[in-house]
Amino acid sequence: MYALVDGNNFYVSCERVFRPDLNGRPVVVLSNNDGCAVARSNEAKALGIAMGAPWFKIKHLEDEAGLVGLSANFTLYGDMSDRMMSLVAGLGHQQEIYSIDESFVNLAGIRGDLIKRSHQIRRRVMQWTGLPTCIGIAPTKTLAKLANHIAKTVERKPGVYPEHIVGHGVDGSLSQVCHLGLLDVASKQLLFERTEVTEVWGVGPRIGKQLNEAGVHTVLDLVNLDPATVARRWSVVLERTVRELKGQPCIALDHEPPARQQIACTRSFGHPVTERHEIEQAVTEFASRAAEKLRKQDHRASALLTFIRTSPFRRQDEQYSASMVYPLIRPTADSTQLVKAALTNLARIYKPGFNYAKAGVMLMDLSPASQEQLELGDWALELNEQDACTTSEAERARMIVAMDSLNQRYGKGTVKVASAGAHRTTTLRPGQPDRNQRNWQMKQARRTPRYTTCWAELAVAKG
DNA sequence: TCTGGGGTCCTAGGACCC
DNA sequence: TCTGGGGTCCTAGGACCC
């Protein structure tokens, strides 16, 4: 049995903990540059504000309906999330943190009344963090998500589900806590019949539309499909969803999720940017931050992608979008090298005369640092005096660690890479590179010699 | 002149999630 | 004027090899 616990209107609830005056009012939390709504209070949802609605289109509701728009504070939400997650973990023995506001909990081996236990956890989270939550319980993760949806809907929209099933009062009702495992077949069928198929985890707008066209409108319709047919007509992914809805677990709990396979840092500018140096500045920042995330998970990257693009929303503008991958022969987490790579890419794809709206840096082909250490050792042996940098590998490593801890302590961007000198070398990394690296190497060989950078230009930017 | 078939790897693109 | 920022997984098709 699995539980899915999630925070209601999470970002808005976090804000309300410190701004109780916002209770009962329509509130949205806005993305970077106050671009669009990424969280909505129930009151804001009732106004018909969609997820992702651009602020400039809903701003008029400030005057008309008392709507409050808040700029996001993701650091705060992250902290609140950590506290919530540690409390929720007490619900069972294993927890998978699925997103900033959601976690699955494995309830195997937990005896006693799961509903009472869930309500206790909800009360504790509320008492200790001020965050409201809902909990769905079921034999599979997909069903637990569905149960959670039902728990929220019962609370928010009375009348959607038959009253004789969802009940009233706290412990006997499906509001806030919904345990599908305890319901009889007929009741479940009724709930499924009243739930749109697009509410199912794994069914997005596209597949939803296709299902509708095939006459599948409700969860009940989907459950009743034959999995083999679904696999043939749609995909093995949707087949898994159908099986999970039937109660057959196909998606396991990841209580120790694997390290990220890629790391991205991208932003919209908020206003059209044409100046090359402005984009260079942004790309430098993105590469540095991505590198920090990379070191935090103790990995190295073997490739870096830089992209820039104009805004598809500005129809009157000529559109341009380009990206380029920079292969790193020796996997690295060194900010200087990564910034250098990002800027080299940028120089190749940047074209003057366009109104740029967005840029980003992605690190790819990540591998654990431990593996890298060995390779680093081998590589260092091959360095001859000509190739050697002014600082040693060990010094560089110490500097990176110092940089990260300063940034962590005094805030993002306290210390950053300002510029980098490049020294051409042609040393190739020995050992057995994996397939991707070999591929990168081949491409690299056709393109440019490798750059090694020095740490002489590390600059303190703030304070 | 006739022009296989199976396997693997890689990439791009599409779908989904929050 | 102003339209988020992350991620994952799967599949189809091309390139290449034997």
Side-chain angles (χ1 to χ4, degrees), chain A residues 11-72:
Chain A
Y11 298 162
V12 170
S13 298
C14 289
E15 295 288 346
R16 279 177 169 170
V17 170
F18 301 95
R19 293 272 313 268
D21 60 297
L22 296 176
N23 285 318
R25 298 184 61 179
V27 179
V28 292
V29 170
L30 302 167
S31 63
N32 267 306
N33 303 313
D34 292 346
C36 61
V38 290
R40 306 156 293 153
S41 71
N42 287 347
E43 298 79 5
K45 288 175 187 168
L47 288 176
I49 297 173
M51 184 67 172
W55 176 235
F56 72 92
K57 283 190 181 169
I58 54 174
K59 197 169 186 296
H60 63 97
L61 292 170
E62 272 185 311
D63 292 333
E64 292 165 23
L67 177 65
V68 179
L70 302 172
S71 301

Side-chain angles (χ1 to χ4, degrees), chain A residues 102-114:
Chain A
E102 279 176 74
S103 67
F104 288 99
V105 178
N106 188 352
L107 298 175
I110 301 293
R111 282 180 305 233
D113 187 335
L114 290 178

Side-chain angles (χ1 to χ4, degrees), chain A residues 151-179:
Chain A
K152 270 190 284 197
T153 307
V154 172
E155 196 202 1
R156 270 187 52 216
K157 300 183 191 163
V160 171
Y161 297 109
E163 193 59 28
H164 72 277
I165 296 170
V166 297
H168 20 244
V170 175
D171 279 14
S173 132
L174 301 192
S175 174
Q176 298 161 346
V177 175
C178 170
H179 188 343

Side-chain angles (χ1 to χ4, degrees), chain A residues 86-331:
Chain A
S86 63
L87 294 171
V88 169
L91 189 57
H93 295 309
Q94 281 181 324
Q95 179 186 37
E96 172 190 351
I97 295 173
Y98 178 67
S99 74
I100 192 158
D101 71 327
E102 279 176 74
S103 67
F104 288 99
V105 178
N106 188 352
L107 298 175
I110 301 293
R111 282 180 305 233
D113 187 335
L114 290 178
I115 294 182
K116 269 200 182 132
R117 193 182 169 94
S118 299
H119 278 293
Q120 275 169 8
I121 289 283
R122 289 190 63 252
R123 275 195 297 274
R124 193 181 299 169
V125 173
M126 174 55 86
Q127 200 180 339
W128 294 12
T129 69
L131 296 170
T133 48
C134 279
I135 303 183
I137 303 171
T140 68
K141 288 168 81 175
T142 305
L143 282 171
K145 285 281 273 188
L146 190 63
N148 181 275
H149 170 77
I150 293 169
K152 270 190 284 197
T153 307
V154 172
E155 196 202 1
R156 270 187 52 216
K157 300 183 191 163
V160 171
Y161 297 109
E163 193 59 28
H164 72 277
I165 296 170
V166 297
H168 20 244
V170 175
D171 279 14
S173 132
L174 301 192
S175 174
Q176 298 161 346
V177 175
C178 170
H179 188 343
L180 282 181
L182 294 183
L183 293 180
D184 58 79
V185 176
S187 300
K188 256 191 291 189
Q189 284 209 347
L190 264 172
L191 293 179
F192 287 3
E193 205 181 341
R194 300 279 179 100
T195 310
E196 299 267 333
V197 73
T198 47
E199 300 294 347
V200 172
W201 187 42
V203 177
R206 289 286 164 80
I207 304 291
K209 189 160 170 263
Q210 290 171 25
L211 285 169
N212 280 319
E213 281 162 10
V216 178
H217 298 281
T218 69
V219 177
L220 187 62
D221 296 335
L222 185 59
V223 180
N224 286 334
L225 292 182
D226 165 48
T229 311
V230 171
R232 228 178 306 117
R233 180 151 175 194
W234 281 278
S235 67
V236 294
V237 183
L238 192 63
E239 179 200 4
R240 227 162 21 212
T241 299
V242 171
R243 289 186 188 278
E244 282 245 323
L245 285 175
K246 289 174 189 283
Q248 181 187 338
C250 302
I251 305 173
L253 191 89
D254 270 331
H255 66 286
E256 262 175 83
R260 299 256 165 269
Q261 293 178 23
Q262 56 173 244
I263 290 170
C265 248
T266 71
R267 291 284 180 284
S268 295
F269 295 131
H271 60 96
V273 169
T274 53
E275 291 303 310
R276 179 173 175 159
H277 70 89
E278 265 190 84
I279 302 179
E280 281 174 347
Q281 224 174 324
V283 162
T284 302
E285 176 79 24
F286 299 155
S288 308
R289 269 200 228 165
E292 240 175 85
K293 291 189 203 172
L294 185 66
R295 293 193 291 270
K296 211 168 189 176
Q297 75 170 48
D298 210 20
H299 274 58
R300 304 286 178 263
S302 306
L304 177 149
L305 177 144
T306 310
F307 76 84
I308 49 175
R309 58 174 307 169
T310 54
S311 168
F313 299 104
R314 292 172 61 100
R315 291 271 177 76
Q316 71 277 21
D317 283 7
E318 202 188 337
Q319 299 292 311
Y320 175 65
S321 155
S323 68
M324 181 163 279
V325 173
Y326 190 102
L328 297 147
I329 288 189
R330 188 164 57 98

